[in-house]
Amino acid sequence: MCVTENGEDRTPTAPKHRQMLALLLMNANHVVSMAQFVEELWEYSPPPSAVAAVHTYVMQLRRILQGGDPATATACRLVTRDQGYVLHVQDGELDLQAYERQVRAGRAALEAGNLEAGALQIRTAHALWAGQGPVDAPAGPLLRAALAAIERDRLEAIVQRVSAELRLGRHHQLLAELCALVHQDPANEQLTGQLMLALYRSGRQADALAAFHRLRHTLREELGTSPGRSIHHLITDILAGHPRLEPPTEGELRLSLDAVDRLPRRPGGQPLTGTAAWSGATPVLLGA
């Protein structure tokens, strides 16, 4: 977590201040009540002076955000409202909001069938964090819940993006990333399934089978469960070498309407049209 204004770092260093600021940023432009602050900072055993301590922390946090100058515009960002506090953040100032906006745009592109643009949008969004989470501050129950929701959404977006890139035939490029993701979350069936498919398409059937066995062992030992139906269907197809697991062909990847460029040509260079154009020609997918 980093707070800057006009190139000046105004990130608080004290743990309680960082924790409060993180909670305010997670609820930017919305009221955080006194009860929420107390629960976040002390969970279920607040001291008798908890409310007074929150007031003191807010006063100190305002001073930090002002940079020591009461005349700065930052002074009005953290305001008292409805027995709580609101941190005002303008559009484009908070990285988390920029991340969520870009992920939404990526998902919309994927739903519209634009795999290339959607995958790029989501990959760019995740690059905002450069490998670290959105908050590096102590976390109480409210922050933990918010961060868990962000992480679930991040993983869901990764799965959606990887699925699109697999459909684009990028299994070789995805192998290292998928290995790292499965190492971090060995019980994740979706990521393991995507790794198995990427390995199989790369000619590494034995490694795909090994990934399945590791998943099965992890689920049995840690959760007392077994892989779901989709993973079992996938391993059956891998063992059978089913054609549906093959990567898409170049024609399947191109979503364009310029099919005329791929039609057979007359001796003079003009494209054939009608039935003659397709007799013996390779079919062109205009959308899939």
Side-chain angles (χ1 to χ4, degrees):
M1 180 177 64
C2 180
V3 178
T4 61
E5 182 159 350
N6 298 324
E8 180 183 352
D9 187 0
R10 295 185 181 173
T11 310
T13 56
K16 293 293 188 188
H17 295 147
R18 293 175 69 85
Q19 191 172 358
M20 287 185 67
L21 180 58
L23 186 62
L24 286 162
L25 288 171
M26 285 290 183
N27 296 274
N29 301 317
H30 293 86
V31 175
V32 179
S33 68
M34 180 62 68
Q36 288 175 302
F37 279 121
V38 171
E39 181 181 357
E40 171 62 26
L41 295 177
W42 293 283
E43 299 201 29
Y44 308 111
S45 55
S49 59
V51 172
V54 169
H55 287 308
T56 300
Y57 293 148
V58 169
M59 179 184 66
Q60 294 167 341
L61 192 55
R62 279 185 176 137
R63 189 178 300 124
I64 293 169
L65 295 177
Q66 291 170 214
D69 182 3
T72 60
T74 321
C76 64
R77 283 187 183 267
L78 182 52
V79 299
T80 304
R81 181 80 52 79
D82 299 330
Q83 298 184 338
Y85 298 95
V86 178
L87 182 63
H88 290 293
V89 175
Q90 297 177 15
D91 187 45
E93 288 187 317
L94 187 59
D95 285 348
L96 180 60
Q97 291 178 345
Y99 161 81
E100 292 172 339
R101 185 181 301 113
Q102 192 137 19
V103 168
R104 285 195 299 270
R107 284 173 167 154
L110 293 182
E111 290 175 4
N114 195 338
L115 304 183
E116 186 80 41
L120 179 60
Q121 288 266 30
I122 295 176
R123 185 177 284 278
T124 302
H126 287 146
L128 289 173
W129 281 335
Q132 69 179 31
V135 173
D136 55 347
L142 302 185
L143 271 182
R144 286 197 297 268
L147 292 172
I150 291 174
E151 180 62 13
R152 285 193 300 271
D153 184 77
R154 185 185 76 90
L155 283 175
E156 181 182 340
I158 286 175
V159 168
Q160 292 171 324
R161 188 258 301 166
V162 169
S163 177
E165 293 186 325
L166 284 171
R167 291 170 63 189
L168 289 167
R170 297 175 182 169
H171 41 278
H172 288 297
Q173 299 94 316
L174 288 167
L175 276 176
E177 180 185 6
L178 282 170
C179 284
L181 289 168
V182 171
H183 179 75
Q184 295 167 7
D185 191 3
N188 191 305
E189 295 188 45
Q190 290 179 299
L191 290 173
T192 299
Q194 291 176 327
L195 173 61
M196 290 166 58
L197 180 58
L199 287 167
Y200 176 79
R201 286 181 173 178
S202 301
R204 297 169 57 180
Q205 183 183 36
D207 291 333
L209 297 176
F212 169 76
H213 290 303
R214 284 193 299 271
L215 172 67
R216 185 171 60 179
H217 175 78
T218 299
L219 291 176
R220 182 176 63 246
E221 295 298 317
E222 296 186 6
L223 303 176
T225 61
S226 59
R229 182 177 301 176
S230 61
I231 290 287
H232 280 290
H233 286 325
L234 176 59
I235 198 66
T236 300
D237 286 346
I238 287 175
L239 289 170
H242 201 287
R244 66 170 150 255
L245 299 184
E246 294 302 314
T249 64
E250 182 181 355
E252 290 172 331
L253 293 177
R254 295 184 59 185
L255 306 178
S256 73
L257 297 177
D258 58 348
V260 67
D261 291 336
R262 300 176 59 182
L263 292 175
R265 298 278 171 173
R266 301 180 189 274
Q270 294 297 318
L272 293 171
T273 57
T275 306
W278 299 109
S279 58
T282 302
V284 178
L285 289 179
L286 299 182

